[in-house]
Amino acid sequence: MIYKSLLIRLSYLVLCLFLSFSAFAQPSADAGKTLFRNYCASCHNRDMKSDMTGPALGGVTERWADYPESDLYAWIRNSSALISSGHPRANEIFNQFNKVQMTPFPNLTDDDIASLLLYIQGTFDGTYGAPVAGAGAAGAGQQAAEGTGGIFAGKAFYYIIFGFLVILALVLARVLNRLKYLTELQAGVETTGPRSLWATLTSKGMIGIIIFAVIVLGGYFTVNSAISLNRMQEYQPDQPIKFSHATHAGLHKIDCQYCHDGARRSKSSIIPATNTCMNCHKAIKVGSTYGTAELTKIYASIGFDPSKDTYIENYDQLSEEDIKKVYTSWIANQYVLDNGKLDRKGELMMEEQWDGIKESLTSDIKPQIQGPIEWIRLHNLPDHVYFNHSQHVNVGEIACQQCHGKVEEMKVVKQYAPLSMGWCINCHRETEVKFSDNPYYMSYAKYHEEIKEGTRSGVTVEEIGGLECQKCHY
Ligand code: HEC
Ligand code: HEC
Ligand code: HEC
Ligand code: HEC
Ligand code: HEC
Ligand code: HEC
């Protein structure tokens, strides 16, 4: 009996090892490239050799070699925290760069940062993305080198260990079997002889273990892909109107909350109604990029006649033909020649633009032109999750950009954060709440005392209960 349970435990160990290896994605330069492009390339040069807003990153691990590796990770997640802790390298580079502050990235995991560093180093020394030389000794040598690098760096390494452990388990099982046989012989018990390898493999215990393994592995992959099914990081659909955040929030510096005025006071940030657009576009009627085309969509949706500066009466009852007349003549106005005639280009543009406007504003769901603009929603948490903007923006004083990225540089918005549970939790673990000056937290007397005594520097969201399931789940 003891042998059998030993065998089961051994196989279990092998299984656990395999699971723990496969459960974690490996850091890779490829993953690093995507992360770099999304988060870092706006300030750090892609060649890793010259400065931009931020310094050239090539060789950065060497510059931080005098400090524990975790310091560099801490820098990337939150450079200002490291600077204010008095860290020598952090202060050196901060002062060198005219005290420009780097964006914090609290949501990057260790693997993410390892991937970034792999990509940065690889690009700097030219080993990443270098074309493999064709025929000849040099090429073969390089390929061989890459091959071994691959085995020890990638998943293959773990598969080899796994294979080795399986063989080891089988050998040990056989040894145990022999020992069992010998003790039985010695004790004079009647026995059927040592079991063959096949008999071991097909014994009840072994089959049980194999079935168990298949269920666990299968379950793991099914659940994993089911969970990420609805995640849409990087989602960037085309919108019915070419509305650019880069123009509005970037170039013209319109405050995010001028349009998304829900963020400060309510759960939802709210997409602005067409009336908000009209506050400006009643006057700004011709754009420098698309001419009248995109702006006319706003007017067609709300029923504003830009040539007369009035709202059209009973607009929702007009036929498509009547609406077309209003807006094609408005578009045509832009192409009238000095002699009062429409030029040829204008005629073509008129029809073309009208078709475009109609196409954008009508959809399968709502086949008419009049009515609210149907913006396509990007962010969408599942129904069982509770998220509140004002809690984060107003009470937590978190910048929109920390969760939505640099929207003011996006011509077309995209979903920047994964919106996974891990993402929320990670930030709650690492972010400190604005504690001392917020009356909301008067009830946490113990923390206040500790801060006063100097035994505590801050309170994270986790410490006020930000990891409790019912806070985020209905
Ligand atoms: C908003 C611009 C900006 C973005 C985005 C940005 N950085 Fe930086 N980074 C800087 C600046 C500026 C510095 C110089 C130090 C300072 O002034 O804070 C810096 C410094 C660094 C340093 C220290 C370099 C050294 O030689 O010690 C590292 C490492 C670094 N950044 C990594 C990253 C990574 C990785 C990302 C993407 C995840 C990133 N940065 C995104 C602006 C940025
Ligand atoms: C002039 C008005 C205006 C301003 C200013 C503005 N936005 Fe928007 N925002 C919109 C409109 C309209 C949409 C919907 C169309 C789209 O997705 O492009 C939108 C969409 C978004 C979305 C995607 C919402 C979704 O569907 O999930 C985010 C995130 C966002 N804005 C963040 C910001 C941030 C951050 C700022 C400030 C840097 C900002 N916005 C400034 C009008 C504005
Ligand atoms: C606070 C003022 C303001 C608000 C509010 C505003 N815009 Fe604009 N918008 C501008 C300015 C300024 C421009 C740049 C005009 C130019 O191109 O010369 C612009 C440009 C545009 C353009 C590009 C026009 C072109 O051809 O270059 C579009 C499309 C547009 N806005 C749509 C919208 C929509 C949709 C809304 C409502 C969600 C909106 N705007 C709200 C000020 C505003
Ligand atoms: C702590 C992270 C966080 C911060 C800070 C944040 N958002 Fe959001 N935002 C989210 C999440 C999560 C969603 C998805 C909400 C959902 O699906 O219920 C979202 C959704 C949105 C939407 C889509 C409409 C909605 O409310 O569901 C807009 C627009 C938006 N955010 C704009 C902003 C603006 C503007 C700011 C800054 C004033 C901001 N957000 C700050 C996390 C954040
Ligand atoms: C960028 C960091 C950040 C991210 C990402 C983030 N949060 Fe938060 N969250 C905070 C901070 C800071 C507070 C504390 C605000 C305050 O002072 O009350 C908070 C508070 C909360 C609270 C109230 C907790 C309490 O104890 O009162 C809930 C609920 C919450 N967050 C849900 C979410 C959900 C759901 C997500 C993911 C969709 C999320 N948060 C993502 C930073 C974040
Ligand atoms: C800070 C907010 C937050 C807290 C705290 C939190 N969750 Fe979640 N949880 C989320 C978000 C956001 C999702 C949606 C993830 C997605 O759509 O991928 C989620 C999804 C889930 C799911 C569905 C499976 C999945 O990953 O999509 C389960 C089950 C779950 N949470 C259980 C829990 C339990 C149990 C706890 C307490 C130990 C907890 N959650 C605490 C934010 C939170």
Side-chain angles (χ1 to χ4, degrees), residues 386-387 391-392 395 398 423-424 427-428 433 441 461 464 471:
Y386 172 82
F387 176 83
Q391 171 110 49
H392 290 87
V395 187
I398 298 178
W423 175 72
C424 314
C427 185
H428 285 188
V433 290
Y441 296 125
V461 185
I464 58 161
K471 288 264 172 77

Side-chain angles (χ1 to χ4, degrees), residues 90-111:
N91 279 285
E92 183 188 359
I93 185 75
F94 180 60
N95 291 326
Q96 205 175 318
F97 259 77
N98 305 324
K99 315 207 170 192
V100 175
Q101 222 166 58
M102 177 168 139
T103 331
F105 298 96
N107 49 343
L108 291 180
T109 63
D110 282 352
D111 274 353

Side-chain angles (χ1 to χ4, degrees), residues 227 231 381-382 384-385 419-421 424-425 428 466-469 472-473:
I227 287 175
R231 295 218 193 115
L381 283 170
H384 56 80
V385 181
L419 299 197
S420 65
M421 176 157 142
C424 314
I425 299 267
H428 285 188
L467 298 196
E468 286 162 17
C469 317
C472 303
H473 291 292

Side-chain angles (χ1 to χ4, degrees), residues 1 31 41 45 50 80 84 93 145 193 219 276 329 364 430 444:
M1 232 22 235
N45 204 321
S50 39
S80 59
S84 49
I93 185 75
T276 310
S329 80
D364 296 340
E430 285 167 12
Y444 293 90

Side-chain angles (χ1 to χ4, degrees), residues 245-389:
H245 278 81
T247 302
H248 290 85
L251 185 64
H252 293 285
K253 305 226 161 21
I254 304 170
D255 183 27
C256 308
Q257 297 191 28
Y258 178 87
C259 291
H260 301 292
D261 64 334
R264 198 190 300 279
R265 52 182 170 78
S266 73
K267 179 177 175 303
S268 163
S269 267
I270 302 175
I271 302 295
T274 316
N275 275 323
T276 310
C277 314
M278 288 304 288
N279 290 346
C280 299
H281 287 292
K282 228 186 225 168
I284 304 168
K285 295 195 274 195
V286 181
S288 53
T289 314
Y290 309 107
T292 52
E294 296 300 315
L295 294 173
T296 304
K297 290 179 186 171
I298 304 178
Y299 307 143
S301 123
I302 202 169
F304 178 76
D305 182 346
S307 53
K308 298 195 188 118
D309 281 344
T310 52
Y311 285 93
I312 301 163
E313 265 173 58
N314 298 330
Y315 183 65
D316 52 354
Q317 279 142 37
L318 288 196
S319 68
E320 196 195 311
E321 268 315 300
D322 293 336
I323 297 174
K324 181 176 171 178
K325 249 180 250 156
V326 175
Y327 294 110
T328 45
S329 80
W330 155 247
I331 296 163
N333 276 347
Q334 311 305 312
Y335 301 96
V336 176
L337 300 174
D338 285 342
N339 59 12
K341 283 195 183 142
L342 193 65
D343 70 0
R344 173 92 186 105
K345 183 163 156 256
E347 261 167 55
L348 290 174
M349 291 296 288
M350 210 171 76
E351 288 296 323
E352 229 173 68
Q353 284 194 13
W354 174 252
D355 288 345
I357 289 163
K358 205 180 110 191
E359 199 182 310
S360 286
L361 293 180
T362 55
S363 67
D364 296 340
I365 319 160
K366 196 177 69 68
Q368 77 255 22
I369 296 149
Q370 308 99 314
I373 300 161
E374 298 215 343
W375 301 107
I376 297 165
R377 184 176 179 134
L378 283 72
H379 297 75
N380 210 352
L381 283 170
D383 289 343
H384 56 80
V385 181
Y386 172 82
F387 176 83
N388 188 319
H389 268 94

